[in-house]
Amino acid sequence: MNRRNFIRNSMATAGSSLLTKPLLANRGLAVPETAPLPGVASSQQVPGAVPESQIASARFPEGFLWGTATAAYQVEGAWREDGKGESIWDRFTHTVGKVKGGTTGDVACDQYHLYPQDLALAKRLNQKSYRFSISWPRIQPSGTGAPNMKGIDHYSRVVDAMLENGLRPFCTIYHWDLPQALEDRGGWPNRDLASYYADYAGILAKHLGDRIMVWAPFNMPWSFTYMGYGVGAFPPCRTNFGDFLKAAHTVTLAQAEALRSIKAASSKATVGSAYGMCPAYPATDSEADRAAAARYHAMNNVFFLEAAMKGRYPKAFVGEPPYELMGFKPGDEKIMLAPLDWVGFHYYTRRIVSDASKVQAFNGGGFSGTEIEADPATGRDPYTRFRAVMPSEGPLTESGLEVWPHGMYDLVTRISREYDHPIIEITESGCGYLDAPYDKENGRVPDARRIEFFREELAELARAISDGARVRSFHAWSLLDNFEWANGQTERYGLIYVDYRDQKRTIKDSGLWYGRVAAANRLDV
Ligand code: FCB
């Protein structure tokens, strides 16, 4: 399907017109020629489009790990079952006015109970890797102390079910659901959390490390520290830049302490990451904008990576890092150093960055999908002093993120270059579209826009691999529609549709397509 079809499809209503050319051809059906729609850009005019020939020739290495990703709070439900403690996300979603539509993760996709079915669906889609997260308050309801064995036993069964379905268990140790009891003790700005967290990680490695070999300590550490403590979009809703810096530093220490405690408990363990990253392009060629884009990259993309790999913070700030405000102590550089075995990161969209070094305001800016953007009138904060905005040159998903496949290539090749060609795992990528089952198509979910998103982005990933990047996996976000944080159930990122009224799962066309890609290691399926 070319970009013109993409635009047509994004304008059409659900129905047979949403079938992509490759899908039709695969079913032995005639492929209709598409007449141009009045007022719709041709493929050549859609910025960022990947040529069809590149998609057709894209190949992935033998043994490439096709996967999907989920997170405990977003899928599990069972929010107070089997001794689970309250998390900051339970507290947040139970507070009126915080979540669009007033929904909570109390039930979510009920994966706590339905995991056998979901993992069997992943197998049906020829998946080889399953990235999931463990809920800390299921393991330590109040954040410290002896483990709750009901929680451990649950995840032990889940991991066994993954292995039975031929899925590599990829465990994210923390995907944002801090035990509320630890928030009550100061949350991430409290440096004590580094050692509590390392204990928790060690408990997981001790009980599950015979079967889990791939561990990522934190999902998107910049996001949950900045959005939780800096600008208040996520729990615990604090708006204090100093708290953000302290939280980030604790997380850096925690990441390294956890690496050591995991390895001490499990000789098979490998430890990497699940960072959120956006390639940053300077708004102009001026030195000031290029320096601002470099600061963005340092702060938002590689802050925690550089700390682990080199035991120092990258140049994210105008001038020296505000060490005192961060709570940095002499000797911390040694604690932070814990070289990762592989580097995992997400790619969703890009940022255009300009200099704001003349302003010192701290306005935070607006929330856009996965990130807070700079206030256009000022900078984002008084230390990094840049403006970062998401452009809308390419098409927008229904969740509002710009589709820019080329960013995948730029990001992957840049991290490869900067970190001496590490093994890379793409831990997340995906798009939010609201396509639903259509009764005139036998209940199919014709989500052609999602197929197009993945075709183009994966073609750019294949190009990065053929240019030498050592990428060994790709995890689509997400296996199934789920609870999208403060956006509740108003966004759907799944390859599988979830009807929240009865928990019925329906594989979307994109899921069927992704399953064929996983079997063939190519995109023209
Ligand atoms: C990422 C998060 C994930 C999900 C996707 C859409 O930022 O890691 O939990 O919300 O965005």
Side-chain angles (χ1 to χ4, degrees):
M1 185 169 74
N2 62 28
R3 275 293 178 131
R4 182 197 296 164
N5 291 11
F6 171 69
I7 297 288
R8 285 173 57 83
N9 290 342
S10 58
M11 295 181 69
T13 50
S16 56
S17 63
L18 284 172
L19 281 173
T20 63
K21 277 191 187 184
L23 287 174
L24 288 172
N26 276 335
R27 292 167 193 188
L29 300 170
V31 180
E33 276 315 310
T34 50
L37 280 175
V40 169
S42 78
S43 58
Q44 288 83 350
Q45 289 169 324
V46 176
V50 174
E52 194 61 27
S53 56
Q54 185 191 329
I55 296 171
S57 61
R59 296 291 177 271
F60 290 83
E62 182 102 3
F64 190 75
L65 291 164
W66 294 98
T68 58
T70 59
Y73 187 73
Q74 295 181 274
V75 298
E76 284 180 351
W79 77 283
R80 52 178 170 187
E81 223 165 297
D82 289 341
K84 176 181 166 295
E86 187 190 19
S87 81
I88 56 172
W89 273 93
D90 294 318
R91 180 72 62 96
F92 179 84
T93 63
H94 294 162
T95 306
V96 172
K98 293 294 186 193
V99 179
K100 273 194 195 166
T103 47
T104 69
D106 290 3
V107 178
C109 309
D110 198 22
Q111 197 178 74
Y112 193 78
H113 302 109
L114 299 180
Y115 70 88
Q117 175 188 333
D118 288 345
L119 297 174
L121 283 169
K123 180 183 181 184
R124 221 173 114 192
L125 300 184
N126 304 312
Q127 299 301 292
K128 292 284 176 286
S129 180
Y130 188 71
R131 178 172 167 249
F132 69 109
S133 81
I134 290 184
S135 158
W136 186 351
R138 287 195 197 285
I139 305 300
Q140 291 174 299
S142 58
T144 55
N148 165 30
M149 288 315 290
K150 284 192 174 163
I152 296 279
D153 291 346
H154 168 74
Y155 288 110
S156 186
R157 288 188 294 271
V158 173
V159 169
D160 283 345
M162 283 179 210
L163 295 171
E164 280 156 22
N165 283 291
L167 300 163
R168 175 190 70 159
F170 175 136
C171 178
T172 311
I173 297 171
Y174 181 86
H175 201 130
W176 303 357
D177 45 355
L178 184 71
Q180 179 64 43
L182 290 184
E183 182 51 41
D184 296 344
R185 290 160 82 166
W188 285 109
N190 173 2
R191 178 184 171 107
D192 293 345
L193 261 73
S195 58
Y196 301 154
Y197 173 82
D199 287 347
Y200 157 58
I203 290 171
L204 297 186
K206 177 174 167 218
H207 291 278
L208 304 169
D210 54 334
R211 287 155 292 156
I212 299 177
M213 291 164 221
V214 179
W215 302 90
F218 289 103
N219 181 71
M220 300 179 79
W222 179 85
S223 299
F224 78 80
T225 50
Y226 192 80
M227 303 223 244
Y229 296 93
V231 292
F234 282 178
C237 305
R238 280 195 236 168
T239 51
N240 181 312
F241 196 75
D243 281 351
F244 153 64
L245 289 174
K246 286 190 184 65
H249 186 53
T250 306
V251 165
T252 296
L253 301 172
Q255 159 181 266
E257 300 271 24
L259 180 141
R260 290 185 281 270
S261 69
I262 292 165
K263 293 205 170 194
S266 162
S267 58
K268 297 179 185 171
T270 69
V271 179
S273 58
Y275 301 131
M277 295 195 188
C278 295
Y281 305 90
T284 72
D285 204 31
S286 73
E287 204 174 302
D289 284 351
R290 281 189 282 124
R295 292 199 297 280
Y296 177 96
H297 182 67
M299 181 80 256
N300 285 60
N301 295 344
V302 300
F303 196 74
F304 300 90
L305 177 57
E306 182 88 354
M309 295 302 211
K310 311 218 172 116
R312 64 173 186 226
Y313 286 120
K315 294 191 182 342
F317 307 100
V318 173
E320 278 296 291
Y323 287 120
E324 207 175 316
L325 199 53
M326 296 171 84
F328 196 101
K329 292 190 180 161
D332 280 358
E333 64 285 356
K334 293 204 189 69
I335 303 175
M336 284 153 61
L337 181 67
L340 306 178
D341 299 305
W342 46 270
V343 178
F345 54 88
H346 318 340
Y347 171 61
Y348 284 89
T349 193
R350 64 173 175 156
R351 287 290 183 272
I352 304 291
V353 182
S354 54
D355 180 52
S357 61
K358 307 277 181 298
V359 270
Q360 298 216 25
F362 176 37
N363 289 332
F367 178 55
S368 156
T370 58
E371 210 185 309
I372 294 284
E373 302 187 40
D375 184 316
T378 64
R380 194 180 61 184
D381 67 66
Y383 293 92
T384 55
R385 298 211 222 152
F386 54 69
R387 286 187 199 100
V389 295
M390 187 193 69
S392 52
E393 190 185 349
L396 301 182
T397 66
E398 252 167 349
S399 298
L401 300 189
E402 187 203 25
V403 178
W404 198 257
H406 191 59
M408 175 66 99
Y409 179 87
D410 287 347
L411 186 59
V412 168
T413 51
R414 181 167 186 181
I415 296 297
S416 286
R417 265 194 320 274
E418 291 180 352
Y419 290 91
D420 199 17
H421 299 277
I423 293 170
I424 290 176
E425 303 239 4
I426 303 300
T427 36
E428 276 181 35
S429 185
C431 48
Y433 291 109
L434 294 169
D435 307 279
Y438 187 50
D439 56 5
K440 292 193 183 138
E441 292 279 353
N442 296 324
R444 280 180 42 239
V445 184
D447 60 335
R449 292 170 294 179
R450 181 169 287 102
I451 297 177
E452 183 58 10
F453 174 91
F454 280 125
R455 288 178 88 230
E456 295 200 302
E457 192 177 82
L458 284 165
E460 285 292 89
L461 181 61
R463 190 159 72 88
I465 294 172
S466 71
D467 285 355
R470 296 166 68 205
V471 183
R472 74 174 177 204
S473 74
F474 177 85
H475 297 84
W477 183 272
S478 175
L479 177 68
L480 69 179
D481 295 337
N482 56 50
F483 183 81
E484 184 48 41
W485 306 114
N487 290 327
Q489 291 169 349
T490 66
E491 296 188 353
R492 291 179 177 270
Y493 275 86
L495 297 167
I496 296 174
Y497 183 87
V498 175
D499 189 327
Y500 294 109
R501 293 168 296 194
D502 60 5
Q503 294 298 342
K504 184 174 176 219
R505 274 64 164 148
T506 306
I507 301 176
K508 300 180 189 178
D509 282 359
S510 59
L512 298 170
W513 173 84
Y514 191 60
R516 290 198 298 277
V517 168
N521 278 337
R522 52 198 291 167
L523 303 174
D524 53 342
V525 294

